[in-house]
């Protein structure tokens, strides 16, 4: 059956059987709905791949000091405001970079023994903190020595202990990501930190011979908030339960000796609760 022009009317199906217009519309609607379901499924899978099965970005190398300096994150407890000099920024330092870490720098790790942030591995936690420090049993599940009078705050995955003038801080966080060793994590941290204004690497090195031995990263960058150069001493290591941690000391670039003393005390005394 055909019309005068020899073309099948729109209301006939492919076999020449008459189909009421309403049925044809319904079939077209079902096809559109099926396509929409497929597209939604594809988008959902893409999101799962990009952000993880829980829909949230996972932390890798950890928060980048200086990222988001203009922001002022609120405190998560009642003993002070969080330092915005090292607030976590997912995808930029404390966060979840979308790219896998590089295999490593093409040149050997730099830094002379005088410049290196090396900390000698201790046989175990110190029995007591040095003068001017206190042993802090942190609610996050670890104990370490921090300077007397410094105040604790929490921002995202990080615990901070900050000086009264807000100029220097200790930052502690767990490392969860594809990087399998402290050194690989330090390499990824450098890749992300290098985005900061005025970034300059001082040292990147392994501390010890074993794959799971600690690693150290030291660098400086220019801080708009503080109006000058800042120094970061970043020590990454494996705790007694196999979890990797980072202990950073961040402060004025000209106070390296003081920052080394603070980091040495924290690393030597660190233990899981």
């Amino acid at each position: 059956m055909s019309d005068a022009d020899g073309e099948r009317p729109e209301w006939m199906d492919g076999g020449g059987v008459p189909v009421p217009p309403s049925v044809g519309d319904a079939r077209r609607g079902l096809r559109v709905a099926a396509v929409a379901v497929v597209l939604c499924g594809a988008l959902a899978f893409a999101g799962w791949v990009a952000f993880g099965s829980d829909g949230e970005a996972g932390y890798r190398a950890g928060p980048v000091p200086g990222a988001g300096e203009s922001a002022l994150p609120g405190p998560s407890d009642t003993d002070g405001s969080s330092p915005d000099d090292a607030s976590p920024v997912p995808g930029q330092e404390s966060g979840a970079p979308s790219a896998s870490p590089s295999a490593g720098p093409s040149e050997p790790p730099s830094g002379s023994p005088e410049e290196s942030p090396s900390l000698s591995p201790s046989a175990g936690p110190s029995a007591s903190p040095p003068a001017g420090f206190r042993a802090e049993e942190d609610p996050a599940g670890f104990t370490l020595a921090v300077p007397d009078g410094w105040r604790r705050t929490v921002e995202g995955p990080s615990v901070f202990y900050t000086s009264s003038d807000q100029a220097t801080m200790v930052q502690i966080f767990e490392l969860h990501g594809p990087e399998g060793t402290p050194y690989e994590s330090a390499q990824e941290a450098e890749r992300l930190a290098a985005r900061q204004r005025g970034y300059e690497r001082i040292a990147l090195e392994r501390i010890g011979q074993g794959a799971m031995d600690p690693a150290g990263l030291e660098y400086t960058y220019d801080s708009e908030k503080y109006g000058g150069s800042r120094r970061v001493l970043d020590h990454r290591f494996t705790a007694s339960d196999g979890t990797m941690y980072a202990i950073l000391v961040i402060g004025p670039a000209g106070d390296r000796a003081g920052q080394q003393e603070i980091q040495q005390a924290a690393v030597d005394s660190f233990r899981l609760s």
Side-chain angles (χ1 to χ4, degrees), residues 32-50:
V32 171
V35 171
V37 169
V38 172
L39 289 175
C40 288
L43 290 173
F45 178 78
W48 184 89
V49 170

Side-chain angles (χ1 to χ4, degrees), residues 114-200:
E114 292 76 22
E115 294 177 332
S116 168
S118 296
L119 297 176
S120 301
S122 58
S126 302
S128 60
F133 291 78
R134 72 178 189 275
E136 184 72 20
E137 294 185 6
D138 196 275
F142 53 80
T143 298
L144 81 169
V146 297
D148 289 334
W150 285 31
R151 302 169 69 184
R152 178 187 188 271
T153 54
V154 177
E155 178 64 25
S158 295
V159 174
F160 294 92
Y161 287 91
T162 309
S163 61
S164 58
D165 62 3
Q166 303 290 306
T168 307
M169 64 195 70
V170 177
Q171 179 181 6
I172 312 101
F173 53 91
E174 293 184 22
L175 300 171
H176 297 290
E179 298 82 25
T181 68
Y183 183 70
E184 290 173 350
S185 179
Q187 286 180 310
E188 174 68 357
E190 183 191 33
R191 185 183 73 81
L192 297 169
R195 302 172 182 174
Q196 302 301 312
R197 181 189 304 109
Y199 174 85
E200 181 179 353

